[in-house]
Amino acid sequence: MLQRGMLRPRAHAPSLLLASVVTVATLTACAPKVTTPEPDLIAQQVDAWMAEMTLEEKVAQMHGTGVLAVDGLYLTATNERLGIPGFAMSDGPRGLTATTSTTFPVPMARGASFDPDLERAVGEVIGAEAHAYGANVLLTPCVNLLNHPSWGRAQETYGEDPALLSRMGVAHVDGAQQSIAASVKHLALNNIELSRFDVNVNASPRLLHEVYLPAFRAVVREAQVASVMTAYNSANGAYCSENAPLLTEILRDQWGFEGFVESDWIWGTHNTVPAVTAGLDVEMPYPQIYGDPLIAAVEEGDVAVEVIDASVRRILTVKASFAMDDPAPRDPSVIESPAHAAVALRAARESLVLLRNEPAAGATAPVLPLNDTVTRVAVVGALADTDNLGDTGSSASYPSTVITPLEGIETMAQARGVTVDALATDTLDATAQTTVANADVAVVVVGLTAEDEGEYIPLFPGGADREDLNLSAEHVALIEQVRAVQPRVVVLVEGGSAVVMDPWITDVPAAMMIWYPGQSGGTAVAEALWGDLNPSGKLPLSIPTDGGQLPLFDNVSTDITYSDLHGYWHLEAVGATPRFAFGHGVSYTTFALENLSAPASTDADATTVSLTVDVTNTGDREGAEVVQVYGGAPDSAWTRPLRRLLGFTRVELAPGATTTAEVVLDVDMLRHWDETLGQLVLEDVPYTLEVGTASDDLPLQAPLIVE
Ligand code: BGC
């Protein structure tokens, strides 16, 4: 349980699980830091405010002030009489939404970095820019699990595995809360767009605690997130905004959450008394069920004053903890600073996932990286020269400048004396086809845009859930047209989720997932093509050979029940081999893992166990590898995935170098939820630890028993 007063900005406090392996982000030069008041002072401040407030003033703290954002910020009321600041909230999963800002690769791309240290730096930048702009609450991160890649908002989360989601969510909040309160979203079971306002999602207690809630739990317990946003949908029969099991029993009683709960926007609230008694503190963005209806409910005796007081105390405690009344002027010059741009470039570099890199027909060396024999490159596809940053819904963020893939390639080519034939179109006429044939290599950029996937907002243009996982027929035809005249083809795929690449993938020598790579994506892509950068990203999701390998994605029913297995857990259980497995990503160098040293046993109450393994860069280029550790329990009495991710560590190695990588394993990922005991329990059976560099490439094993 957290102690009162622990709800504070996290000045230089790395997360519990990663404390031993992660260095704190080195971005201190540009991020403003919240000066955290002492716990006693916070309590005194809150007591003083509470003592003076009327019922109307208290209730005014509990809702937003307008349906529209003001200068990009959603506001709650300032109490001028008592000097209580209002909240000023902004979105920002890929960068601050409220204004022109540093724009990162989308969270799914950052999930591919498997680098919480990077995500901490990203959170720190977005939080610093939000604070500099005048916000005091950042509406990130989204840690809803990707249970199907068709979800329109896949790009806003970090992937399909709870352990990955947990580490990235904790890191993001650690970074953001250096400057500002973060609001993790959307609690819970929000994994569909089209039916999101209407659907009731049924999930067993085991599914909740073992699969869909662990990332929220980690962000609450390890990062002490200041706020939680509820989901639009219902969970197990009750709207999430009035769901007492979620908001009180689990969030507050079990996890010790001390911050405030806010609703999702406009369509997220329904009934006054159930919401306030379940623990919804703030209705956003304007009062529909709070405000006058809430005052009336108190006056009529339907809601006790103590319930209001408890909510308002939680709100005021966050305000005091984050010194939101600090009158010091903000410094907007940090927004889009060169230091922040450097983090966006680092994120773009680490996000790239080289899916495949084979020799072209008749050659012996893989087609990438491009070498000095390449003097002419054809760059094909309309997306090659499109600022394709991701969804245009609430996660939209726009920078002052974007480097498209074509621009990045042109800059790099110029420096190397290489000629670029720019064919930024999706249809090639005969002349263009001859140009492609005459080039030494063709780089084809295809994929998705905000018209194909994104947040579903009624009356707003843009895509929602995907209809299927395929590339458009036009893009498949473009690849085939290029391939017909040019054997040396590199396909760059943009998008925020899985894209089916069969059957064309086996016919092209190289393909790289570049996601929505943010403002510097083109630079990173060009570096990777010529080998100045060695791609190191790993898939945070599975790419099936066909959408039919995955369970049905139902985004129309209003009552659905989640199944036990999804993503790679499902694929492994049914014996389906995906095109690219969870955790997959190749490199221009090779790595060998040996000397696994794992503990033989774990304490039944342990939070973490650590193992070490020697990683050697056996190739001739510098590179980074992600050591991944999975766990399974073949003799378990419970239905479980064959293996699930327990922990991971990214290491960077010079050619020939060896390092001993330490991987901290989250033991909760092995536990099952015991509904009778109301807690996670480590079953007393033998466990198998598997260590490698992808979920389908795990050469080392070690047993683990419970003491
Ligand atoms: C989204 C939230 C977002 C909010 C405010 C909602 O529609 O679901 O993720 O934070 O709008 O923009």
Side-chain angles (χ1 to χ4, degrees):
M1 233 357 210
L2 297 179
Q3 301 301 309
R4 180 150 294 285
M6 279 188 72
L7 177 76
R8 312 168 66 186
R10 308 254 313 151
H12 300 293
S15 81
L16 179 70
L17 282 174
L18 291 165
S20 55
V21 286
V22 160
T23 49
V24 174
T26 49
L27 202 75
T28 45
C30 44
K33 297 285 178 288
V34 178
T35 311
T36 312
E38 288 305 314
D40 286 355
L41 293 180
I42 295 170
Q44 278 170 27
Q45 172 75 86
V46 172
D47 286 345
W49 280 334
M50 288 295 292
E52 296 293 321
M53 292 172 87
T54 64
L55 174 65
E56 284 72 14
E57 285 176 317
K58 289 175 183 168
V59 170
Q61 291 289 308
M62 295 177 65
H63 58 77
T65 53
V67 67
L68 295 177
V70 179
D71 293 331
L73 299 174
Y74 292 103
L75 306 175
T76 70
T78 297
N79 184 320
E80 302 285 357
R81 183 176 82 85
L82 298 171
I84 305 174
F87 287 131
M89 305 183 180
S90 175
D91 285 294
R94 67 172 194 248
L96 181 66
T97 304
T99 188
T100 306
S101 62
T102 305
T103 300
F104 293 89
V106 293
M108 184 62 79
R110 282 143 39 203
S113 75
F114 278 65
D115 187 353
D117 199 11
L118 166 68
E119 188 57 19
R120 187 172 294 102
V122 171
E124 198 171 334
V125 169
I126 300 174
E129 295 200 356
H131 181 270
Y133 183 70
N136 53 28
V137 179
L138 182 65
L139 304 173
T140 66
C142 170
V143 295
N144 292 117
L145 185 93
L146 185 74
N147 82 343
H148 195 288
S150 289
W151 181 31
R153 295 179 84 176
Q155 64 189 270
E156 291 187 50
T157 188
Y158 299 106
E160 69 182 30
D161 184 89
L164 179 60
L165 238 61
S166 299
R167 292 308 103 219
M168 300 306 268
V170 167
H172 183 93
V173 174
D174 271 346
Q177 290 200 166
Q178 300 278 330
S179 312
I180 193 171
S183 190
V184 66
K185 61 194 185 184
H186 314 80
L187 191 73
L189 303 175
N190 183 167
N191 321 84
I192 297 169
E193 278 312 283
L194 196 60
S195 57
R196 68 175 176 162
F197 304 124
D198 310 308
V199 67
N200 172 47
V201 183
N202 300 291
S204 67
R206 282 201 57 203
L207 263 184
L208 278 173
H209 291 276
E210 297 171 32
V211 184
Y212 290 91
L213 295 184
F216 288 97
R217 186 173 66 223
V219 165
V220 167
R221 284 189 167 164
E222 295 176 43
Q224 282 109 51
V225 73
S227 169
V228 173
M229 187 192 296
T230 56
Y232 286 122
N233 51 278
S234 300
N236 291 327
Y239 287 119
C240 287
S241 59
E242 49 196 63
N243 196 307
L246 277 179
L247 306 188
T248 296
E249 287 166 33
I250 295 175
L251 185 60
R252 295 197 167 101
D253 296 349
Q254 288 172 16
W255 299 349
F257 176 65
E258 294 192 342
F260 71 91
V261 173
E262 64 178 324
S263 73
D264 202 345
W265 266 232
I266 305 177
W267 305 278
T269 54
H270 304 273
N271 304 290
T272 305
V273 177
V276 75
T277 50
L280 179 75
D281 302 311
V282 178
E283 181 187 24
M284 290 303 291
Y286 70 106
Q288 300 182 82
I289 62 163
Y290 283 6
D292 289 344
L294 184 53
I295 293 171
V298 175
E299 286 172 349
E300 283 158 24
D302 295 333
V303 174
V305 174
E306 291 74 21
V307 172
I308 303 294
D309 283 354
S311 269
V312 177
R313 270 189 179 280
R314 293 192 282 255
I315 294 164
L316 298 182
T317 300
V318 171
K319 291 183 175 180
S321 301
F322 283 82
M324 290 183 185
D325 54 351
D326 182 355
R330 311 283 173 105
D331 174 14
S333 73
V334 307
I335 298 173
E336 296 198 286
S337 68
H340 290 188
V343 181
L345 178 56
R346 176 183 162 199
R349 287 173 172 153
E350 288 194 28
S351 304
L352 300 176
V353 183
L354 185 59
L355 297 167
R356 173 180 166 84
N357 187 24
E358 303 292 329
T364 49
V367 73
L368 292 177
L370 303 179
N371 60 26
D372 292 346
T373 65
V374 173
T375 60
R376 191 159 206 121
V377 177
V379 180
V380 183
L383 287 182
D385 204 24
T386 302
D387 294 357
N388 196 17
L389 299 171
D391 187 25
T392 51
S394 67
S395 70
S397 155
Y398 301 104
S400 301
T401 51
V402 178
I403 310 291
T404 65
L406 177 62
E407 288 164 345
I409 290 169
E410 281 177 332
T411 303
M412 177 67 79
Q414 198 177 18
R416 292 178 180 258
V418 171
T419 303
V420 173
D421 294 312
L423 302 166
T425 163
D426 285 345
T427 44
L428 301 179
D429 59 20
T431 315
Q433 231 169 332
T434 306
T435 305
V436 171
N438 290 339
D440 297 316
V441 65
V443 176
V444 188
V445 188
V446 293
L448 311 174
T449 70
E451 285 178 17
D452 303 305
E453 58 177 346
E455 182 177 358
Y456 168 61
I457 307 175
L459 308 179
F460 268 67
D465 299 318
R466 310 251 300 280
E467 280 171 23
D468 59 49
L469 300 179
N470 300 326
L471 270 186
S472 67
E474 198 180 21
H475 281 180
V476 173
L478 182 66
I479 294 167
E480 283 166 356
Q481 219 183 347
V482 170
R483 181 62 194 84
V485 295
Q486 172 60 262
R488 293 167 64 88
V489 179
V490 179
V491 179
L492 305 178
V493 183
E494 296 188 332
S497 188
V499 173
V500 164
M501 300 183 189
D502 280 74
W504 54 264
I505 186 74
T506 49
D507 202 32
V508 297
M512 185 155 64
M513 193 73 207
I514 68 169
W515 314 101
Y516 299 116
Q519 64 182 40
S520 308
T523 303
V525 162
E527 290 172 348
L529 291 175
W530 271 273
D532 291 355
L533 164 73
N534 190 348
S536 62
K538 300 283 181 172
L539 284 177
L541 41 66
S542 316
I543 297 191
T545 55
D546 180 282
Q549 284 190 318
L550 293 172
L552 183 75
F553 179 69
D554 180 356
N555 65 353
V556 292
S557 302
T558 50
D559 194 80
I560 59 174
T561 300
Y562 279 179
S563 55
D564 290 341
L565 304 174
H566 70 282
Y568 72 97
W569 302 356
H570 166 86
L571 292 166
E572 292 188 349
V574 299
T577 306
R579 172 54 54 193
F580 298 114
F582 177 86
H584 168 85
V586 296
S587 166
Y588 297 149
T589 186
T590 48
F591 298 91
L593 269 52
E594 55 191 356
N595 299 331
L596 173 61
S597 172
S601 65
T602 176
D603 194 301
D605 299 324
T607 317
T608 60
V609 294
S610 294
L611 57 73
T612 60
V613 63
D614 289 347
V615 188
T616 303
N617 180 343
T618 49
D620 55 9
R621 274 173 188 272
E622 190 179 338
E625 183 54 287
V626 178
V627 179
Q628 304 168 36
V629 182
Y630 295 78
D635 300 336
S636 174
W638 305 94
T639 309
R640 291 172 181 264
L642 281 174
R643 59 180 59 82
R644 63 182 283 177
L645 189 67
L646 306 181
F648 53 89
T649 295
R650 183 177 184 277
V651 293
E652 294 181 4
L653 285 171
T658 299
T659 190
T660 301
E662 181 185 21
V663 189
V664 181
L665 312 184
D666 184 344
V667 181
D668 275 354
M669 299 298 144
L670 289 175
R671 291 192 163 93
H672 70 275
W673 178 257
D674 186 315
E675 183 61 0
T676 315
L677 295 176
Q679 64 184 54
L680 288 166
V681 171
L682 191 61
E683 188 185 6
D684 189 4
V685 291
Y687 295 89
T688 308
L689 304 178
E690 297 175 292
V691 183
T693 57
S695 63
D696 64 348
D697 183 9
L698 300 166
L700 303 178
Q701 282 91 32
L704 181 78
I705 58 165
V706 183
E707 272 169 14

